[in-house]
Amino acid sequence: MRVTKSIALASAGLLLATSLAAAQSTEIRIGVPLEPPALDPTAGAAEAIDVVVYQNVFEGLTRIDENGAVQPGLASSWTISDDGLTYRFSLNQGVTFHDGTSFEAEDVKFTFDRILAEDSVNAQKALYSSIADVSVIDPATVEFTLSQPDELFLFNIGRGDAVIVAPESADNNASMPIGTGPFAFLQWDRGSRVILEQYGPYWGEKPALTKASYVFIGDTGAMTNALLAGDIDGTYNFAAEALPIFESNPQFQVLVGTTEGETILSTNNAKPPFDQLEVRQAMAHAINRDEIVEGATYGFGVPIGSHFAPHHPYYLDLTGTYPFDPERARELLAEAGFPDGFSATLKLPPVAYARLSGQIIASEFAQVGIDLELINMEWAPWLEDVFANKDFDLTIISHVAPFDIGIYANPDYYFGYDNPQVQALNEELNATTDEARRKELAQELQTIIAQDAVNGFLFELAQTGVWNAKLEGMWKNAPVEGVVLRDIRWVE
Amino acid sequence: MSSRRILAHPGLVVGLTATAGFALLALVSLFWTPYPIGEVSIARRFALPSAEHWLGTDQLGRDMLSLVMSGTLTSFTVGSMAVVIGVGIGVPLGLAAAIYGGLVEWLVLRFSDLTFAFPAVVIAILIATLMGPGASNAIIAIGIFNVPVFAQVARGGTLTVSTLDFVGAARLAGLSRIGIAWRHLLPNIMSLIIVQGTIQLSLGILAEAGLSYIGLGTQPPETSLGLMLRDAQSLFLIHPSLSLVPGLAIVIIVIALNIAGDGLRDVLDPRLRSRRRADAAR
Amino acid sequence: MTNYILRRILGFLVTLLVAAAVIFFLLDLLPGDPARFILGINASPEAVAALRQQMGLDSPALARFGSWLMGMVQGDFGHSQTQRLPVAQLIADRMAVTLPLTLFAMVISVAVGLPLGILAARHRGKATDTGLMILAQVGVAIPNFWFGMLLTLAFAVSLRWLPTGGFSPWAEDPAAALRSLVLPSLALALPQAAILARVMRTALVDVSSQDYIRTARAKGMTFGEAMWRHGVRNALLPVLTILGLQFAFLIAGTIIVENVFYLPGLGRLIYTAINERDLVLVRSATIILVLAVSLTMLVVDLAYGLVDPRLREKSR
């Protein structure tokens, strides 16, 4: 009986607590499926790091906006030399780090020297390899010299991997992140949540929120319950299968946006029988894209026919290149010397879209005689087997880097596609600054890899956020990883 | 034991009947299921129960009845193979410890302590991670923890039995220790082992469900009751039947096994009833 | 006696050493490179190599085993490779959740299980007994992640009496911390209570046929008095043994319930560390658990040995 009584008492206390929270309305609690192992975005690839700190705690010289466009960040403006090799940035004045030290050009140089150093552990070091030199002109001006033109340079320095850190605090950023952003790190209850609070002396426009907690909830069912019970105010990308619960509930809003994630049936092009064009074409014909989009993403994914994001201005719709046609697939297999089909393995990383797509594809391929053995793996062995050792036949993975068609020009990349024509086109694309010509080249690349059926092109992942209906200012799209707090506010 | 003694025990009858029913369903799935379990059809997913699909279909449009049949088979297989591992290694160890005593016994007891001292869940996760997730590795991860359980049951049972008159008589008649163990001790502790076996079987089925929940048990396209339950977890509020069907199946099977185990204990050998750590060994 | 204690302590040390070796080399076999896991899909080989060196993964296994053991002997459990904090601190933080959770679950299971077991034994063979034992069967049979979810739906989502999960640190708001442990403890306690009820009932039924109960009754005590004075006390021994085992099981076995209620407990710490290949953390955390459990068993054994000299003759 004592138990019942204490529950009743406890519930009274809880009701009180929730009504207080509602009255303040400058705090937010966001559900996050994965806890970051550390909070330094320049020394780890975990998406969860950027989700918490990107543009909140840390800022870069530029910043990426909701639609993927480059905006001024810590650099108020910049000039680019005619040859595209020299970038001169003017830095904002009066900017301080959260520990009170001031932000100056030296910090920029320190940040990039650290990224490019011999013993650097920056996960995206390769993105910054075109930087030949960073020099401090004066405390408010810094100049970058590139070894070759790089159209994505301004975008890349706006990513979480290149946020500006201070020499005084950089070593401790993993557990005690100190940046220049509108929110300062307050506390991290390991295994439970990270709390940020508004940074008073922030140099830019003050955000509406004063406090933000990121609550780590790994279980989809638990996240659903937490949303329904009001224990969290929203989550930025929720499991599609659970969305119907919230779509019909007026207390919630479901935001459907885009990501940069091309989800593909990655094919080991260097390994027989996948080195044969007919085999890859047969697989492309055996894929029922609509069924996969419906089954694996509940219709939220956008079908793709090549490795390019549908919302990008250079996008070319190539979904019709190899339409779903099991008959044609069997013919092509016979032509390739596999009249009875063949067996292969499909190694799947631990993400819902891959596991579901895998089961559907296995069922579809069985109809044309390709017998797939599904091998479900954890991340660590998947990365090692598939990515590092290229020991795989097929896998399903979403490539979330923006504008990453260049991976098809790297013959050492894990799917082993080696096409000199693609490599030449990509080189030209990188060196071209003329917009129209760039578009032409990008579309030519899309077409070639679609026709070569390099990989099975499935869908572009959608971003499906669930938020309290009284919140506004959340990013709908995910051009980069992050849950940016600056514009989020409560409205009545 | 006579059939009358079985029938006189209603719990045993209910337990055995229900267990046999599910076991039959599972065995049939070896040869036939209403639909192939790998047959995905998004167009017909989340179908309600109908003449074509008695229990409806799941999120991939697979027939729920077929999945339950096949899933029951996997759950039973994992549980019972884990028991086989436990019996196969644990019983000889327990017998040896009881018969030889001394160093042998010390070693067996230390091994037992060692296994109990390891956090079972952590080790099961480690083994499953090490060998890659899947039903066969779940068997090993669960089976290892059955070994000390059966070793203790065998050792304890043997110690009790070996003080009985007929063992002394056999010893006087000049039978070797192994002979005594084989001819007299093993048959006498068999009932204990069977009882413990039903309990470990039910625990194994629950353990498989737990491993499946954290993603390290049975892997698609295979299925198990635990995996079905896990896959349906996030859909509970929209499609509760996907979760209720495998959930209730697990509950019923485990209860049936436990009732059968209790009944068997009463019927097989009431004398040895008090010696059991059965319930404790989870 | 001294001999017995020495043998028992020797056994304890051997267990620890073997456990340490098993854990260390088992983890060395895990597939997947910790450094690559941290740096992810686009990391350059140089960055991975640099991190591997920083993490000390390049030296030979035996040397790493040796330095790990030496560190632990000196009380240094090492630093987590992914979280870059001392393992001892990480574990202490999680213990603040897991230990109370385990204790609450045990208290609830005793408070519910024992009376029900006594009640069932008292009405042995009657409808109450049957009903309670069926309930106990159900309690054991429900997978705990499923039961946890049903509890949440009922008490957190529908009634909103309690939070769906999460944990606020004790120092911040003890009442909130307590509230967030109610549902998880209930989920954990259910099967344990059911087991205890069954064990208690069986033990009492066994005891009730013993001579001393008959004697007591012959002396004119009612059955209830006789059971209360002699029976319950004697039946508690098997119950205590089981409680000890349950504690050992729960302290690391709460991972599934921690997941359902997103609690920052020890189980989830180790599970995440396994996934992230944080080998130092997994090793040290596991060995600390082994140490705790073996130490408990050692103390219990020695206590038994002191109380009951027959035991050390017979079973050890």
Side-chain angles (χ1 to χ4, degrees):
Chain A
M1 283 311 99
R2 215 174 300 154
V3 178
T4 331
K5 201 170 165 190
S6 73
I7 290 178
L9 282 176
S11 62
L14 182 77
L15 286 175
L16 197 67
T18 37
S19 52
L20 278 177
Q24 292 173 359
S25 288
T26 56
E27 298 183 6
I28 192 171
R29 295 154 304 167
I30 300 172
V32 180
L34 276 178
E35 177 170 16
L39 288 176
D40 183 353
T42 65
E47 178 199 357
I49 302 176
D50 281 338
V51 164
V52 176
V53 300
Y54 178 67
Q55 288 195 29
N56 300 326
V57 175
F58 290 108
E59 297 171 303
L61 287 182
T62 60
R63 69 181 182 86
I64 314 303
D65 70 14
E66 185 189 353
N67 298 313
V70 175
Q71 305 289 349
L74 286 173
S76 54
S77 64
W78 51 85
T79 54
I80 309 170
S81 65
D82 290 341
D83 60 2
L85 291 177
T86 309
Y87 286 71
R88 181 178 280 234
F89 294 91
S90 304
L91 307 179
N92 277 304
Q93 302 287 299
V95 177
T96 55
F97 283 95
H98 301 149
D99 61 356
T101 56
S102 61
F103 158 79
E104 284 169 2
E106 280 299 340
D107 297 308
V108 178
K109 180 166 171 55
F110 169 78
T111 297
F112 283 90
D113 285 351
R114 184 165 166 264
I115 292 174
L116 297 168
E118 190 86 1
D119 60 349
S120 157
V121 292
N122 192 294
Q124 309 291 349
K125 188 179 174 184
L127 287 182
Y128 308 101
S129 58
S130 61
I131 300 174
D133 180 59
V134 183
S135 37
V136 174
I137 306 298
D138 60 59
T141 316
V142 66
E143 191 175 271
F144 284 66
T145 313
L146 307 188
S147 52
Q148 64 194 61
D150 181 354
E151 271 304 305
L152 290 176
F153 175 68
L154 287 173
F155 186 93
N156 286 339
I157 60 169
R159 296 174 52 118
D161 308 278
V163 294
I164 304 302
V165 297
E168 296 88 352
S169 49
D171 287 344
N172 296 324
N173 279 345
S175 54
M176 176 77 184
I178 292 194
T180 58
F183 290 88
F185 170 82
L186 179 65
Q187 86 187 60
W188 184 356
D189 302 327
R190 302 257 169 176
S192 186
R193 61 186 177 174
V194 169
I195 305 178
L196 309 180
E197 63 175 352
Q198 201 188 76
Y199 176 56
Y202 180 58
W203 59 273
E205 193 188 331
K206 273 207 182 355
L209 296 173
T210 56
K211 200 169 172 188
S213 320
Y214 291 82
V215 185
F216 308 118
I217 308 178
D219 182 287
T220 307
M223 184 93 87
T224 306
N225 294 340
L227 283 164
L228 287 175
D231 288 346
I232 53 173
D233 303 311
T235 184
Y236 60 101
N237 195 11
F238 198 44
E241 78 253 26
L243 293 180
I245 302 172
F246 302 100
E247 284 172 320
S248 55
N249 187 332
Q251 292 180 319
F252 295 94
Q253 49 182 324
V254 174
L255 299 182
V256 181
T258 58
T259 73
E260 300 299 320
E262 291 84 33
T263 311
I264 58 176
L265 175 69
S266 256
T267 308
N268 193 340
N269 280 249
K271 186 176 175 186
F274 308 108
D275 53 348
Q276 292 186 53
L277 178 62
E278 291 85 0
V279 169
R280 298 198 303 268
Q281 288 171 327
M283 294 197 305
H285 277 301
I287 290 173
N288 182 347
R289 212 175 265 123
D290 293 337
E291 186 176 56
I292 295 168
V293 167
E294 188 56 40
T297 75
Y298 290 75
F300 288 104
V302 182
I304 53 171
S306 186
H307 196 104
F308 219 79
H311 53 267
H312 196 281
Y314 298 171
Y315 175 72
L316 191 61
D317 185 355
L318 292 160
T319 48
T321 312
Y322 298 107
F324 175 55
D325 185 351
E327 203 50 51
R328 180 78 191 117
R330 274 188 290 265
E331 283 170 29
L332 281 162
L333 281 178
E335 281 171 34
F338 298 99
D340 304 319
F342 59 88
S343 301
T345 59
L346 174 54
K347 292 187 169 171
L348 299 170
V351 275
Y353 68 77
R355 297 281 166 93
L356 287 169
S357 305
Q359 276 177 276
I360 302 168
I361 286 179
S363 177
E364 289 172 358
F365 276 20
Q367 286 163 28
V368 302
I370 302 173
D371 180 24
L372 289 186
E373 185 199 344
L374 301 182
I375 303 177
N376 296 307
M377 305 180 85
E378 283 179 281
W379 274 122
W382 182 88
L383 278 168
E384 176 124 337
D385 268 23
V386 175
F387 218 77
N389 299 335
K390 303 172 193 169
D391 175 18
F392 75 109
D393 295 339
L394 300 165
T395 188
I396 294 174
I397 183 70
S398 212
H399 284 259
V400 294
F403 206 95
D404 56 355
I405 199 165
I407 57 180
Y408 288 78
N410 175 3
D412 294 329
Y413 206 55
Y414 74 104
F415 48 69
Y417 176 62
D418 189 357
N419 182 338
Q421 193 194 355
V422 166
Q423 288 150 24
L425 282 170
N426 187 61
E427 204 164 314
E428 192 184 341
L429 174 66
N430 282 343
T432 305
T433 45
D434 176 62
E435 192 66 17
R437 179 65 188 144
R438 280 180 61 79
K439 181 172 182 174
E440 231 173 77
L441 287 165
Q443 296 198 337
E444 203 171 330
L445 277 170
Q446 292 175 52
T447 313
I448 296 173
I449 62 168
Q451 282 170 350
D452 267 357
V454 182
N455 295 310
F457 301 105
L458 306 178
F459 53 85
E460 191 80 7
L461 273 182
Q463 174 96 341
T464 46
V466 175
W467 300 92
N468 188 304
K470 290 180 183 156
L471 280 169
E472 67 171 33
M474 295 77 66
W475 278 17
K476 213 159 96 172
N477 304 325
V480 284
E481 288 148 354
V483 175
V484 177
L485 299 168
R486 66 168 63 232
D487 296 326
I488 300 182
R489 64 181 69 240
W490 287 94
V491 287
E492 281 310 317
Chain B
M1 70 185 143
S2 67
S3 55
R4 190 181 298 170
R5 274 172 71 194
I6 296 180
L7 288 176
H9 200 293
L12 183 56
V13 175
V14 173
L16 282 182
T17 314
T19 308
F22 274 99
L24 191 70
L25 204 62
L27 286 176
V28 169
S29 80
L30 275 176
F31 311 101
W32 177 83
T33 48
Y35 296 81
I37 62 154
E39 192 182 288
V40 169
S41 167
I42 300 306
R44 59 157 199 243
R45 73 172 161 193
F46 299 130
L48 295 172
S50 65
E52 291 89 58
H53 300 284
W54 290 5
L55 295 176
T57 61
D58 78 342
Q59 60 267 47
L60 288 172
R62 295 174 297 178
D63 180 57
M64 282 291 280
L65 179 58
S66 309
L67 288 173
V68 168
M69 290 170 69
S70 175
T72 307
L73 179 68
T74 315
S75 294
F76 264 112
T77 311
V78 170
S80 50
M81 290 312 288
V83 169
V84 168
I85 291 180
V87 171
I89 303 174
V91 171
L93 284 181
L95 279 174
I99 299 171
Y100 292 105
L103 184 65
V104 177
E105 185 174 41
W106 190 81
L107 281 175
V108 171
L109 285 173
R110 290 288 75 75
F111 168 77
S112 216
D113 278 2
L114 184 68
T115 325
F116 278 131
F118 269 116
V121 182
V122 173
I123 295 301
I125 293 172
L126 264 183
I127 291 173
T129 310
L130 183 67
M131 307 181 60
S136 51
N137 298 329
I139 291 174
I140 297 173
I142 299 166
I144 286 181
F145 291 95
N146 282 339
V147 171
V149 172
F150 284 99
Q152 290 206 348
V153 167
R155 175 172 166 273
T158 309
L159 286 177
T160 316
V161 172
S162 53
T163 59
L164 298 176
D165 295 343
F166 65 91
V167 177
R171 200 168 284 154
L172 282 178
L175 265 175
S176 72
R177 292 192 198 187
I178 291 177
I180 294 175
W182 185 250
R183 297 256 297 272
H184 297 288
L185 297 178
L186 197 57
N188 271 287
I189 59 169
M190 209 36 144
S191 57
L192 278 179
I193 294 172
I194 291 174
V195 168
Q196 191 68 52
T198 58
I199 291 164
Q200 295 309 116
L201 175 54
S202 73
L203 290 179
I205 289 174
L206 283 174
E208 196 281 333
L211 276 180
S212 287
Y213 170 73
I214 45 182
L216 293 172
T218 309
Q219 297 295 320
E222 306 282 298
T223 192
S224 72
L225 296 175
L227 182 64
M228 291 177 71
L229 192 52
R230 166 213 153 97
D231 284 349
Q233 183 99 335
S234 56
L235 292 162
F236 186 79
L237 292 172
I238 322 171
H239 305 285
S241 70
L242 295 193
S243 172
L244 288 172
V245 169
L248 289 178
I250 292 178
V251 172
I252 294 170
I253 291 173
V254 172
I255 291 178
L257 281 169
N258 281 336
I259 296 180
D262 284 356
L264 281 175
R265 174 162 44 225
D266 293 347
V267 171
L268 282 175
D269 202 340
R271 207 179 30 189
L272 295 175
R273 207 169 42 182
S274 55
R275 258 218 90 90
R276 71 202 155 96
R277 281 209 174 157
D279 299 302
R282 328 184 41 195
Chain C
M1 188 68 210
T2 326
N3 190 20
Y4 168 71
I5 294 177
L6 280 180
R7 256 171 53 201
R8 202 56 199 82
I9 290 177
L10 178 69
F12 165 73
L13 290 177
V14 171
T15 307
L16 271 190
L17 194 66
V18 174
V22 169
I23 294 167
F24 187 90
F25 291 102
L26 199 63
L27 273 158
D28 236 34
L29 294 175
L30 279 190
D33 181 350
R36 180 166 285 280
F37 180 84
I38 291 175
L39 294 180
I41 201 164
N42 289 327
S44 63
E46 306 95 72
V48 174
L51 189 59
R52 276 187 67 85
Q53 206 188 347
Q54 272 187 23
M55 291 165 81
L57 289 168
D58 287 337
S59 42
L62 264 180
R64 281 181 290 126
F65 182 55
S67 65
W68 178 59
L69 274 188
M70 284 313 294
M72 284 196 304
V73 170
Q74 293 159 11
D76 174 14
F77 291 95
H79 275 63
S80 153
Q81 291 164 320
T82 53
Q83 305 193 35
R84 300 175 211 182
L85 287 177
V87 169
Q89 182 197 330
L90 286 170
I91 290 176
D93 287 354
R94 299 305 177 100
M95 274 295 178
V97 178
T98 297
L99 212 54
L101 179 62
T102 307
L103 289 176
F104 290 165
M106 287 183 69
V107 168
I108 296 174
S109 70
V110 168
V112 176
L114 292 194
L116 291 185
I118 295 173
L119 196 65
R122 189 89 183 75
H123 300 274
R124 187 182 169 198
K126 303 209 184 89
T128 319
D129 181 23
T130 317
L132 283 174
M133 284 306 109
I134 290 177
L135 264 183
Q137 295 284 10
V138 177
V140 179
I142 299 185
N144 55 5
F145 62 95
W146 202 46
F147 182 60
M149 186 196 63
L150 297 177
L151 275 181
T152 317
L153 284 176
F155 294 103
V157 176
S158 299
L159 295 170
R160 297 212 175 187
W161 288 355
L162 293 158
T164 55
F167 186 78
S168 3
W170 292 102
E172 213 165 277
D173 185 351
L178 206 58
R179 270 203 307 273
S180 48
L181 290 182
V182 173
L183 289 182
S185 334
L186 278 177
L188 279 176
L190 175 79
Q192 310 298 341
I195 291 170
L196 276 185
R198 294 182 58 189
V199 172
M200 190 65 190
R201 174 186 174 276
T202 314
L204 281 175
V205 168
D206 282 351
V207 164
S208 67
S209 59
Q210 297 288 330
D211 293 341
Y212 51 85
I213 297 287
R214 294 207 193 111
T215 315
R217 293 209 64 189
K219 280 186 187 163
M221 281 192 201
T222 66
F223 183 73
E225 280 169 1
M227 285 303 285
W228 189 247
R229 292 275 292 274
H230 303 284
V232 173
R233 243 180 48 198
N234 279 293
L236 275 180
L237 204 66
V239 169
L240 281 179
T241 312
I242 288 194
L243 276 179
L245 282 171
Q246 285 189 350
F247 185 77
F249 170 78
L250 282 178
I251 196 78
T254 54
I255 170 178
I256 287 169
V257 165
E258 283 168 17
N259 233 348
V260 174
F261 293 98
Y262 51 105
L263 287 171
L266 193 59
R268 219 152 64 108
L269 175 75
I270 300 181
Y271 176 62
T272 317
I274 292 176
N275 269 333
E276 293 176 349
R277 297 296 184 271
D278 191 339
L279 304 183
V280 174
L281 178 52
V282 181
R283 280 177 184 138
S284 296
T286 316
I287 201 73
I288 287 174
L289 284 173
V290 172
L291 181 73
V293 174
S294 335
L295 206 58
T296 316
M297 293 205 286
L298 176 71
V299 170
V300 168
D301 271 3
L302 291 180
Y304 271 0
L306 283 177
V307 174
D308 184 355
R310 272 174 314 164
L311 266 174
R312 58 177 195 262
E313 299 305 316
K314 203 171 114 196
S315 72
R316 300 285 162 181

